[in-house]
Amino acid sequence: MNITKVTVAMTVVRPNGPFKSEASMLDWMSLCLNCNTNNAAVVLEKISPPSKAAGGLWRINDAFESVNKLLDASGALDNAELQFAVYVLRLSIARAAGDTARCEAAEKSLQELSPAIAEFDLATFDGWVGAAKALLADKPPGTALDDSAFQGYLVLEQGTLYAIPKHAVENNKVVTEWGVPVDAYEPDQSIWSDEHKAWEAHDPMTNRDVLLMPKFVKYEKSELTSS
């Protein structure tokens, strides 16, 4: 018998209102998870977040805000790179705290730092693809956007966005035909989840980070020659 212990976060939406008690909710969840045909049993237990860790995190946040005010007053935040680093740190603290409202505000602030993507809705297919194109539009030929969500790269060729899997890139070289990567494909709306506001089976946060904290790499084209 194999026993695997995992920690997950679960959101329960109940049209009929909240459960009568926490115990009744756990009973319901246990019945749902154990209603299966694969002979696996699930035991639930409540895990309370460690208060000391949370308190320490908010002390870090307070310290950050104090330093941020000093940097702002000194004019240091006029430096684009420093401002970007400060905004990334603010977002990281908000995510560690699990504060949804702060996360949304921090992501919005980070997005506004990049005029190219400031007006795009990164939670939609058109907005995500449009932002990726905008980030690559002014880059020199041979520039790719590292796409950690798909374990690959994004390139813009003749106005079209292509996704290249990492296995198709060897020694920073990409095989092309008529200038288009051979093993690439166009991001398709059929694999975008409107419900999760991200690519299917991918973490929405990671999807947005590809654009909010872009990493660019150089590549060379290796054009196929006709025999």
Side-chain angles (χ1 to χ4, degrees):
M1 176 183 292
N2 174 264
I3 299 177
T4 303
K5 195 165 187 176
V6 296
T7 302
V8 300
M10 180 180 293
T11 300
V12 179
V13 179
R14 194 165 185 262
N16 297 330
F19 290 91
K20 292 181 180 180
S21 65
E22 184 177 89
S24 65
M25 180 184 69
L26 292 175
D27 287 342
W28 174 83
M29 293 168 67
S30 181
L31 289 171
C32 289
L33 291 171
N34 284 291
C35 181
N36 59 70
T37 58
N38 58 10
N39 300 318
V42 178
V43 178
L44 297 177
E45 61 179 295
K46 180 185 176 183
I47 300 178
S48 300
S51 57
K52 288 185 178 180
L57 186 60
W58 287 116
R59 283 194 291 274
I60 292 174
N61 181 70
D62 291 342
F64 161 77
E65 293 297 344
S66 297
V67 172
N68 186 48
K69 288 179 181 178
L70 290 173
L71 290 172
D72 191 23
S74 70
L77 292 183
D78 291 339
N79 179 286
E81 291 185 359
L82 178 57
Q83 189 176 29
F84 178 81
V86 167
Y87 278 35
V88 169
L89 178 56
R90 171 179 283 149
L91 175 58
S92 298
I93 293 173
R95 285 176 174 174
D99 191 320
T100 303
R102 283 178 178 246
C103 285
E104 291 177 352
E107 284 192 13
K108 186 64 177 176
S109 296
L110 197 56
Q111 185 176 349
E112 289 172 351
L113 282 183
S114 177
I117 67 170
E119 301 304 319
F120 288 98
D121 184 353
L122 306 186
T124 67
F125 170 80
D126 289 336
W128 198 97
V129 171
K133 287 183 176 181
L135 286 171
L136 289 164
D138 63 347
K139 298 296 182 292
T143 301
L145 175 62
D146 192 325
D147 185 1
S148 55
F150 268 104
Q151 295 299 307
Y153 305 95
L154 294 167
V155 298
L156 191 64
E157 291 292 342
Q158 302 168 28
T160 300
L161 187 70
Y162 293 98
I164 308 174
K166 280 193 175 180
H167 66 74
V169 182
E170 294 186 13
N171 298 320
N172 294 327
K173 291 186 178 181
V174 176
V175 177
T176 61
E177 186 172 22
W178 302 107
V180 177
V182 173
D183 292 324
Y185 58 91
E186 294 183 47
D188 190 279
Q189 191 162 7
S190 65
I191 58 173
W192 178 272
S193 171
D194 290 328
E195 179 182 358
H196 297 293
K197 301 179 180 180
W199 300 109
E200 289 183 353
H202 286 82
D203 176 44
M205 181 181 72
T206 305
N207 276 258
R208 295 191 299 274
D209 284 355
V210 169
L211 306 173
L212 293 173
M213 294 172 263
K215 298 176 182 177
F216 298 100
V217 297
K218 301 295 292 182
Y219 71 95
E220 296 179 18
K221 294 181 180 181
S222 180
E223 186 73 10
L224 284 174
T225 56
S226 56
S227 55

